[in-house]
Amino acid sequence: MDKFHVPSVPSTSRSSDSIEPEKKKQKLVRRQYSGDYLSYGFFWCGDKTCPIPECIVCGEKLTNAAMVPSKLKRHLSTKHSSLSSKDVNYFRRLLEQNQKQAAFMTTTVCVSDKVQEASYKVAELIVKAKKPHTIAETLLMPACKEMVKIVLGSEAASEISKIPLSADTISRRVIEMSSDIEDIMKEKIKSSGKFSLQIDESTDISGHAQLLAYIRYIDGNVIATNFFFCKQLPERATGEEIFRVTNEYVLKNELKWKDCVSVCTDGAAAMTGRVKGFVAQVREINSNIRCDHCLIHREAIVAKSLPPSLKVVLDEVVKVVNFVKLRPLNSRLFSVLCQEMESEHTTLLLHTEVRWLSRGKVLTRILELKDEVRAFLTVERHEYADLFADDEWVCKLAYLSDIFVHLNELNRKMQGRNENILTSMDKIQGFVNKLNLWIQRIENGSFEMFSTVWSLASGNKVMMDLIKEHLQILQQRFKKYFGDSVEDIDWVRNPFVAISESLPIHLQEELAELKADRTLKLQLLEVPLDTFWLAVRSEYPAISEMAVNMLLPFSTTYLCELGFSTLTEIKTSKRERLRSVDEEMRLALSMISPRISHLCAAKQVQISH
């Protein structure tokens, strides 16, 4: 029996002799355009090193490999058979026409981009000037066209007229730029991790309650302050409603109350109420939040503390001013009298409780015009005419004028965008130190620090006792409303000198290490305080966080008061139906600039006709 034969399987491996040589890669051929191809109705486009044939008639683009007469001629004969008999001059004219149209479209697009950007810029300027949107069409555009026509000619004026500046267009631009600023600010606050707020409420000209807030956060290596929101309270301005509106906006921007370091408000019950106030409801979410009563409002409350005899003088001054100012005829007659007496001023100033500096200004002005006021009241046979002839009454008026000049100066020092607890409390402590010095001077028989009353009643024992009584009242009230000194946080101002025994041991240890770093000691002299503490965050995180938490809080609601002044300019009697002012206020008050080029790139250009 034959054995079973297994055929041999040929090996899959090839010997070196049987390997066929690889074919050489063919060199890539890039065809170039020839002027003769124009007779077939083709020109070129794309890269010059690898041109692409483009049909002049239909605009169809072929591949570079089709850049041969046969394929170009086939396209002309099959798709444009009626033009196959045309000579090269026809296609040359058609090419020139297409190129002119392309150039015109390019120019139009470029002009459109510019006019759109100009439209955004004009909208931004209008809002920052607190003007109505209609001013663009009614004043700015006609004035601009006339100026350009005179200086550059009619053609340039026609180009200017293409800028879209209708009231509706400006409104849309404002909303878009406000939204862009809001997005930028949201990202900055989220990356900051911590923030503080100042909030205040007021009523606009139409009687609606407006809630305004500013925010302070870490922006890189500085602490930045910016406008946060201005929202209308639909019903009552209660603590619950204020918290609801604020909380909705905080959550809308994906922020967390646990990251809020402090809230600064005025002393209204809706804000500071222990049960239903805004502060109480915030503390239910974040029990560690710091809540401050505006230092300027506290100083204004202290300034109201007067002995009875001085309070009577102030009330009488207010009545005299009201008699002169509240009747137009009296105001005109008094102004004429001042002109005849060659006075420096011709009018008196009204006292308003909500204006911090008005009381001091009223007293200073009426003291400067005391002779004119006395003459006017005498002519009018007013019962207070004799007061200005009473030396004791005039001395009291002079003292009130002097002391309120000092109080107003303190008030102005605490106003500012970059004020914080440390800087404001330093100014308060400085004024308290001056009160102590003044009391000592009064006890020594001198009140030369009050120059006006000193010139009128030098050595008057009764006035000395009265002034001392008032200064002691101020001293007690400052201690009540502001407490003692803030030396326990001096280490924030200068960590290399101040003692920090009140800090926990782990913070004292970290601060001790920081004190030993001489390079940081030199750096503190060269950069702002907030920049210094933010720069050492990575190396000394715990003590840096503690210091930043002291620098973030607002000390006053000055910015909110400034915002309400802007609101009165934006929402006037002619614009009282303007319900939502949030966008206008943000664009007018924000320190962040909108990304106009980014907004233009995302929109289709519409040229005005």
Side-chain angles (χ1 to χ4, degrees), residues 529-575:
L529 194 59
D530 56 339
T531 302
F532 169 80
W533 283 112
L534 291 171
V536 301
R537 276 187 299 179
S538 59
E539 196 170 355
Y540 306 99
I543 195 66
S544 173
E545 181 180 5
M546 185 76 173
V548 170
N549 288 346
M550 294 292 180
L551 296 173
L552 268 177
F554 290 98
S555 60
T556 71
T557 57
Y558 163 76
L559 291 175
C560 285
E561 300 292 345
L562 196 66
F564 286 128
S565 297
T566 300
L567 178 62
T568 58
E569 293 186 62
I570 291 176
K571 196 168 184 179
T572 62
S573 58
K574 295 182 178 180
R575 303 179 73 193

Short mmCIF file of all heavy atoms in Angstrom, two decimals, residues 529-575:
data_model
loop_
_atom_site.label_atom_id
_atom_site.label_comp_id
_atom_site.label_asym_id
_atom_site.label_seq_id
_atom_site.Cartn_x
_atom_site.Cartn_y
_atom_site.Cartn_z
N LEU A 529 -0.65 96.74 48.11
CA LEU A 529 -0.82 95.74 49.16
C LEU A 529 -1.53 94.49 48.64
O LEU A 529 -1.14 93.37 48.98
CB LEU A 529 -1.61 96.37 50.32
CG LEU A 529 -1.61 95.60 51.64
CD1 LEU A 529 -0.20 95.40 52.16
CD2 LEU A 529 -2.47 96.33 52.68
N ASP A 530 -2.58 94.66 47.83
CA ASP A 530 -3.31 93.49 47.33
C ASP A 530 -2.44 92.66 46.40
O ASP A 530 -2.46 91.42 46.45
CB ASP A 530 -4.59 93.91 46.63
CG ASP A 530 -4.34 94.90 45.50
OD1 ASP A 530 -3.29 95.56 45.50
OD2 ASP A 530 -5.20 95.00 44.60
N THR A 531 -1.63 93.33 45.58
CA THR A 531 -0.74 92.60 44.67
C THR A 531 0.30 91.80 45.46
O THR A 531 0.64 90.66 45.08
CB THR A 531 -0.03 93.58 43.73
OG1 THR A 531 -1.01 94.32 42.99
CG2 THR A 531 0.88 92.86 42.76
N PHE A 532 0.80 92.38 46.56
CA PHE A 532 1.79 91.68 47.38
C PHE A 532 1.21 90.39 47.95
O PHE A 532 1.82 89.31 47.83
CB PHE A 532 2.25 92.59 48.53
CG PHE A 532 3.07 91.88 49.57
CD1 PHE A 532 4.41 91.61 49.36
CD2 PHE A 532 2.48 91.46 50.76
CE1 PHE A 532 5.16 90.94 50.32
CE2 PHE A 532 3.22 90.79 51.72
CZ PHE A 532 4.57 90.54 51.50
N TRP A 533 0.02 90.46 48.55
CA TRP A 533 -0.55 89.26 49.19
C TRP A 533 -0.96 88.22 48.16
O TRP A 533 -0.88 87.02 48.42
CB TRP A 533 -1.72 89.65 50.07
CG TRP A 533 -1.31 90.26 51.38
CD1 TRP A 533 -1.47 91.54 51.79
CD2 TRP A 533 -0.63 89.58 52.45
NE1 TRP A 533 -0.94 91.72 53.05
CE2 TRP A 533 -0.42 90.53 53.48
CE3 TRP A 533 -0.19 88.29 52.64
CZ2 TRP A 533 0.20 90.21 54.67
CZ3 TRP A 533 0.44 87.96 53.83
CH2 TRP A 533 0.64 88.91 54.83
N LEU A 534 -1.40 88.66 47.00
CA LEU A 534 -1.76 87.69 45.97
C LEU A 534 -0.53 87.03 45.36
O LEU A 534 -0.59 85.88 44.91
CB LEU A 534 -2.57 88.38 44.87
CG LEU A 534 -3.98 88.84 45.28
CD1 LEU A 534 -4.60 89.70 44.19
CD2 LEU A 534 -4.87 87.64 45.57
N ALA A 535 0.60 87.74 45.38
CA ALA A 535 1.84 87.18 44.82
C ALA A 535 2.42 86.08 45.70
O ALA A 535 3.16 85.22 45.20
CB ALA A 535 2.88 88.29 44.63
N VAL A 536 2.12 86.08 47.00
CA VAL A 536 2.70 85.08 47.92
C VAL A 536 1.73 83.94 48.19
O VAL A 536 1.95 83.15 49.10
CB VAL A 536 3.14 85.74 49.24
CG1 VAL A 536 4.17 86.82 48.98
CG2 VAL A 536 1.94 86.32 50.00
N ARG A 537 0.65 83.85 47.40
CA ARG A 537 -0.37 82.82 47.65
C ARG A 537 0.20 81.41 47.56
O ARG A 537 -0.14 80.54 48.36
CB ARG A 537 -1.52 82.96 46.66
CG ARG A 537 -2.56 83.97 47.08
CD ARG A 537 -3.77 83.94 46.16
NE ARG A 537 -3.41 84.26 44.78
CZ ARG A 537 -4.28 84.28 43.78
NH1 ARG A 537 -5.54 83.98 44.00
NH2 ARG A 537 -3.89 84.60 42.55
N SER A 538 1.04 81.17 46.57
CA SER A 538 1.56 79.81 46.39
C SER A 538 2.53 79.40 47.48
O SER A 538 2.58 78.23 47.88
CB SER A 538 2.24 79.71 45.02
OG SER A 538 3.29 80.66 44.92
N GLU A 539 3.28 80.37 48.00
CA GLU A 539 4.30 80.05 49.01
C GLU A 539 3.75 80.09 50.43
O GLU A 539 4.14 79.27 51.27
CB GLU A 539 5.44 81.05 48.87
CG GLU A 539 6.72 80.61 49.58
CD GLU A 539 7.89 81.51 49.22
OE1 GLU A 539 7.72 82.40 48.35
OE2 GLU A 539 8.97 81.32 49.80
N TYR A 540 2.84 81.02 50.68
CA TYR A 540 2.25 81.15 52.02
C TYR A 540 0.73 81.20 51.87
O TYR A 540 0.11 82.26 52.03
CB TYR A 540 2.77 82.40 52.73
CG TYR A 540 4.28 82.49 52.79
CD1 TYR A 540 4.99 83.28 51.88
CD2 TYR A 540 4.99 81.77 53.74
CE1 TYR A 540 6.36 83.35 51.93
CE2 TYR A 540 6.38 81.84 53.80
CZ TYR A 540 7.05 82.64 52.89
OH TYR A 540 8.42 82.70 52.95
N PRO A 541 0.09 80.09 51.56
CA PRO A 541 -1.34 80.10 51.19
C PRO A 541 -2.28 80.51 52.32
O PRO A 541 -3.23 81.25 52.10
CB PRO A 541 -1.60 78.66 50.73
CG PRO A 541 -0.53 77.84 51.40
CD PRO A 541 0.66 78.73 51.50
N ALA A 542 -2.04 80.02 53.53
CA ALA A 542 -2.98 80.26 54.62
C ALA A 542 -3.02 81.73 55.04
O ALA A 542 -4.09 82.34 55.13
CB ALA A 542 -2.64 79.37 55.81
N ILE A 543 -1.85 82.30 55.29
CA ILE A 543 -1.80 83.69 55.74
C ILE A 543 -2.19 84.64 54.60
O ILE A 543 -2.79 85.71 54.83
CB ILE A 543 -0.40 84.03 56.29
CG1 ILE A 543 -0.44 85.34 57.10
CG2 ILE A 543 0.63 84.12 55.18
CD1 ILE A 543 -1.24 85.25 58.36
N SER A 544 -1.90 84.25 53.35
CA SER A 544 -2.30 85.06 52.21
C SER A 544 -3.81 85.09 52.07
O SER A 544 -4.41 86.15 51.81
CB SER A 544 -1.67 84.52 50.93
OG SER A 544 -2.16 85.19 49.79
N GLU A 545 -4.45 83.94 52.23
CA GLU A 545 -5.91 83.89 52.15
C GLU A 545 -6.56 84.74 53.24
O GLU A 545 -7.54 85.45 52.99
CB GLU A 545 -6.38 82.44 52.28
CG GLU A 545 -7.89 82.29 52.18
CD GLU A 545 -8.34 80.85 52.31
OE1 GLU A 545 -7.47 79.98 52.57
OE2 GLU A 545 -9.54 80.58 52.15
N MET A 546 -5.97 84.71 54.44
CA MET A 546 -6.49 85.52 55.54
C MET A 546 -6.38 87.01 55.21
O MET A 546 -7.30 87.79 55.46
CB MET A 546 -5.71 85.21 56.81
CG MET A 546 -6.21 85.89 58.06
SD MET A 546 -7.69 85.11 58.67
CE MET A 546 -7.90 85.99 60.23
N ALA A 547 -5.26 87.42 54.64
CA ALA A 547 -5.05 88.82 54.29
C ALA A 547 -5.99 89.26 53.17
O ALA A 547 -6.57 90.35 53.23
CB ALA A 547 -3.60 89.05 53.89
N VAL A 548 -6.16 88.42 52.16
CA VAL A 548 -7.05 88.75 51.04
C VAL A 548 -8.49 88.89 51.54
O VAL A 548 -9.25 89.75 51.07
CB VAL A 548 -6.94 87.69 49.93
CG1 VAL A 548 -8.03 87.90 48.88
CG2 VAL A 548 -5.57 87.76 49.28
N ASN A 549 -8.87 88.05 52.51
CA ASN A 549 -10.22 88.14 53.08
C ASN A 549 -10.43 89.46 53.82
O ASN A 549 -11.57 89.89 54.02
CB ASN A 549 -10.47 86.98 54.03
CG ASN A 549 -10.66 85.67 53.29
OD1 ASN A 549 -10.86 85.65 52.07
ND2 ASN A 549 -10.58 84.56 54.00
N MET A 550 -9.35 90.10 54.24
CA MET A 550 -9.45 91.42 54.88
C MET A 550 -9.49 92.55 53.84
O MET A 550 -10.04 93.62 54.11
CB MET A 550 -8.25 91.64 55.81
CG MET A 550 -8.21 90.72 57.00
SD MET A 550 -9.55 91.08 58.15
CE MET A 550 -9.24 89.84 59.41
N LEU A 551 -8.91 92.31 52.67
CA LEU A 551 -8.84 93.34 51.64
C LEU A 551 -10.02 93.32 50.69
O LEU A 551 -10.32 94.33 50.05
CB LEU A 551 -7.55 93.19 50.84
CG LEU A 551 -6.24 93.38 51.61
CD1 LEU A 551 -5.04 93.01 50.74
CD2 LEU A 551 -6.10 94.81 52.11
N LEU A 552 -10.70 92.17 50.58
CA LEU A 552 -11.83 92.06 49.65
C LEU A 552 -13.07 92.84 50.07
O LEU A 552 -13.73 93.44 49.22
CB LEU A 552 -12.20 90.58 49.47
CG LEU A 552 -11.54 89.83 48.32
CD1 LEU A 552 -11.97 88.37 48.34
CD2 LEU A 552 -11.88 90.45 46.98
N PRO A 553 -13.44 92.90 51.35
CA PRO A 553 -14.71 93.54 51.72
C PRO A 553 -14.76 95.03 51.37
O PRO A 553 -13.76 95.73 51.45
CB PRO A 553 -14.78 93.34 53.24
CG PRO A 553 -13.91 92.17 53.51
CD PRO A 553 -12.80 92.24 52.51
N PHE A 554 -15.95 95.48 51.01
CA PHE A 554 -16.20 96.91 50.83
C PHE A 554 -16.37 97.55 52.21
O PHE A 554 -16.94 96.95 53.12
CB PHE A 554 -17.48 97.14 50.02
CG PHE A 554 -17.36 96.76 48.57
CD1 PHE A 554 -17.83 95.54 48.12
CD2 PHE A 554 -16.80 97.64 47.66
CE1 PHE A 554 -17.74 95.19 46.78
CE2 PHE A 554 -16.71 97.30 46.32
CZ PHE A 554 -17.17 96.08 45.88
N SER A 555 -15.92 98.78 52.34
CA SER A 555 -16.11 99.50 53.59
C SER A 555 -17.27 100.49 53.51
O SER A 555 -17.79 100.91 54.53
CB SER A 555 -14.83 100.26 53.95
OG SER A 555 -14.49 101.20 52.94
N THR A 556 -17.69 100.85 52.31
CA THR A 556 -18.78 101.81 52.11
C THR A 556 -19.64 101.38 50.94
O THR A 556 -19.27 100.48 50.17
CB THR A 556 -18.23 103.23 51.83
OG1 THR A 556 -17.65 103.26 50.53
CG2 THR A 556 -17.19 103.64 52.86
N THR A 557 -20.79 102.03 50.81
CA THR A 557 -21.65 101.84 49.63
C THR A 557 -21.51 103.02 48.68
O THR A 557 -22.45 103.38 47.97
CB THR A 557 -23.13 101.69 50.06
OG1 THR A 557 -23.52 102.86 50.81
CG2 THR A 557 -23.33 100.45 50.90
N TYR A 558 -20.32 103.61 48.67
CA TYR A 558 -20.06 104.79 47.83
C TYR A 558 -20.34 104.51 46.36
O TYR A 558 -20.94 105.33 45.65
CB TYR A 558 -18.61 105.23 48.02
CG TYR A 558 -18.09 106.15 46.94
CD1 TYR A 558 -18.45 107.49 46.90
CD2 TYR A 558 -17.23 105.68 45.95
CE1 TYR A 558 -17.98 108.33 45.91
CE2 TYR A 558 -16.75 106.51 44.96
CZ TYR A 558 -17.13 107.84 44.94
OH TYR A 558 -16.66 108.66 43.96
N LEU A 559 -19.93 103.34 45.87
CA LEU A 559 -20.10 103.03 44.45
C LEU A 559 -21.58 102.89 44.09
O LEU A 559 -22.00 103.27 43.00
CB LEU A 559 -19.35 101.75 44.09
CG LEU A 559 -17.82 101.85 44.14
CD1 LEU A 559 -17.18 100.50 43.88
CD2 LEU A 559 -17.33 102.87 43.12
N CYS A 560 -22.38 102.33 45.01
CA CYS A 560 -23.82 102.25 44.77
C CYS A 560 -24.43 103.64 44.69
O CYS A 560 -25.29 103.91 43.83
CB CYS A 560 -24.49 101.43 45.87
SG CYS A 560 -24.22 99.65 45.75
N GLU A 561 -24.00 104.53 45.59
CA GLU A 561 -24.50 105.91 45.53
C GLU A 561 -24.09 106.57 44.22
O GLU A 561 -24.87 107.32 43.61
CB GLU A 561 -23.95 106.71 46.72
CG GLU A 561 -24.32 106.15 48.09
CD GLU A 561 -25.80 106.28 48.38
OE1 GLU A 561 -26.49 107.05 47.68
OE2 GLU A 561 -26.28 105.62 49.31
N LEU A 562 -22.89 106.30 43.79
CA LEU A 562 -22.42 106.82 42.50
C LEU A 562 -23.25 106.24 41.36
O LEU A 562 -23.59 106.93 40.39
CB LEU A 562 -20.94 106.49 42.31
CG LEU A 562 -20.17 107.24 41.24
CD1 LEU A 562 -20.07 108.71 41.59
CD2 LEU A 562 -18.78 106.64 41.06
N GLY A 563 -23.60 104.96 41.48
CA GLY A 563 -24.43 104.32 40.47
C GLY A 563 -25.82 104.91 40.39
O GLY A 563 -26.39 105.08 39.32
N PHE A 564 -26.40 105.27 41.56
CA PHE A 564 -27.72 105.89 41.56
C PHE A 564 -27.68 107.28 40.93
O PHE A 564 -28.66 107.71 40.32
CB PHE A 564 -28.25 105.98 42.99
CG PHE A 564 -28.70 104.65 43.55
CD1 PHE A 564 -28.24 104.20 44.77
CD2 PHE A 564 -29.56 103.83 42.82
CE1 PHE A 564 -28.63 102.97 45.27
CE2 PHE A 564 -29.96 102.61 43.32
CZ PHE A 564 -29.50 102.17 44.55
N SER A 565 -26.56 107.97 41.05
CA SER A 565 -26.41 109.25 40.36
C SER A 565 -26.43 109.04 38.84
O SER A 565 -27.03 109.82 38.10
CB SER A 565 -25.11 109.93 40.78
OG SER A 565 -25.12 110.24 42.16
N THR A 566 -25.77 107.97 38.39
CA THR A 566 -25.81 107.62 36.97
C THR A 566 -27.22 107.24 36.54
O THR A 566 -27.66 107.60 35.44
CB THR A 566 -24.83 106.47 36.69
OG1 THR A 566 -23.51 106.87 37.05
CG2 THR A 566 -24.86 106.07 35.22
N LEU A 567 -27.93 106.53 37.42
CA LEU A 567 -29.30 106.12 37.10
C LEU A 567 -30.21 107.33 36.88
O LEU A 567 -31.05 107.33 35.98
CB LEU A 567 -29.84 105.24 38.23
CG LEU A 567 -31.30 104.76 38.09
CD1 LEU A 567 -31.46 103.90 36.84
CD2 LEU A 567 -31.72 103.99 39.33
N THR A 568 -30.03 108.37 37.69
CA THR A 568 -30.86 109.57 37.53
C THR A 568 -30.56 110.29 36.21
O THR A 568 -31.42 110.97 35.67
CB THR A 568 -30.63 110.55 38.69
OG1 THR A 568 -29.25 110.91 38.76
CG2 THR A 568 -31.05 109.92 40.01
N GLU A 569 -29.34 110.12 35.69
CA GLU A 569 -29.00 110.71 34.40
C GLU A 569 -29.54 109.89 33.24
O GLU A 569 -29.92 110.43 32.20
CB GLU A 569 -27.49 110.85 34.26
CG GLU A 569 -26.85 111.86 35.20
CD GLU A 569 -25.39 112.07 34.91
OE1 GLU A 569 -25.06 112.52 33.81
OE2 GLU A 569 -24.56 111.74 35.79
N ILE A 570 -29.58 108.58 33.42
CA ILE A 570 -30.07 107.70 32.35
C ILE A 570 -31.59 107.69 32.29
O ILE A 570 -32.20 107.85 31.24
CB ILE A 570 -29.52 106.27 32.54
CG1 ILE A 570 -28.02 106.24 32.30
CG2 ILE A 570 -30.22 105.28 31.60
CD1 ILE A 570 -27.38 104.89 32.56
N LYS A 571 -32.22 107.53 33.46
CA LYS A 571 -33.68 107.44 33.52
C LYS A 571 -34.24 108.79 33.95
O LYS A 571 -34.51 109.04 35.13
CB LYS A 571 -34.10 106.33 34.48
CG LYS A 571 -35.55 105.90 34.31
CD LYS A 571 -35.84 104.63 35.07
CE LYS A 571 -37.26 104.16 34.81
NZ LYS A 571 -37.57 102.90 35.51
N THR A 572 -34.40 109.67 32.99
CA THR A 572 -34.89 111.02 33.24
C THR A 572 -36.41 111.06 33.08
O THR A 572 -37.05 110.04 32.79
CB THR A 572 -34.23 112.00 32.29
OG1 THR A 572 -34.57 111.64 30.94
CG2 THR A 572 -32.71 111.96 32.42
N SER A 573 -36.98 112.25 33.24
CA SER A 573 -38.42 112.41 33.07
C SER A 573 -38.87 112.07 31.65
O SER A 573 -40.00 111.66 31.43
CB SER A 573 -38.82 113.85 33.42
OG SER A 573 -38.12 114.78 32.60
N LYS A 574 -37.97 112.25 30.67
CA LYS A 574 -38.30 111.92 29.29
C LYS A 574 -38.07 110.45 28.95
O LYS A 574 -38.48 109.99 27.88
CB LYS A 574 -37.48 112.80 28.34
CG LYS A 574 -37.82 114.28 28.43
CD LYS A 574 -37.02 115.09 27.44
CE LYS A 574 -37.40 116.57 27.52
NZ LYS A 574 -36.63 117.40 26.55
N ARG A 575 -37.42 109.74 29.85
CA ARG A 575 -37.17 108.31 29.62
C ARG A 575 -37.67 107.47 30.80
O ARG A 575 -37.13 106.42 31.10
CB ARG A 575 -35.67 108.05 29.41
CG ARG A 575 -35.04 108.83 28.29
CD ARG A 575 -33.57 108.52 28.19
NE ARG A 575 -33.32 107.20 27.64
CZ ARG A 575 -32.13 106.59 27.67
NH1 ARG A 575 -31.10 107.18 28.25
NH2 ARG A 575 -31.97 105.40 27.16
#
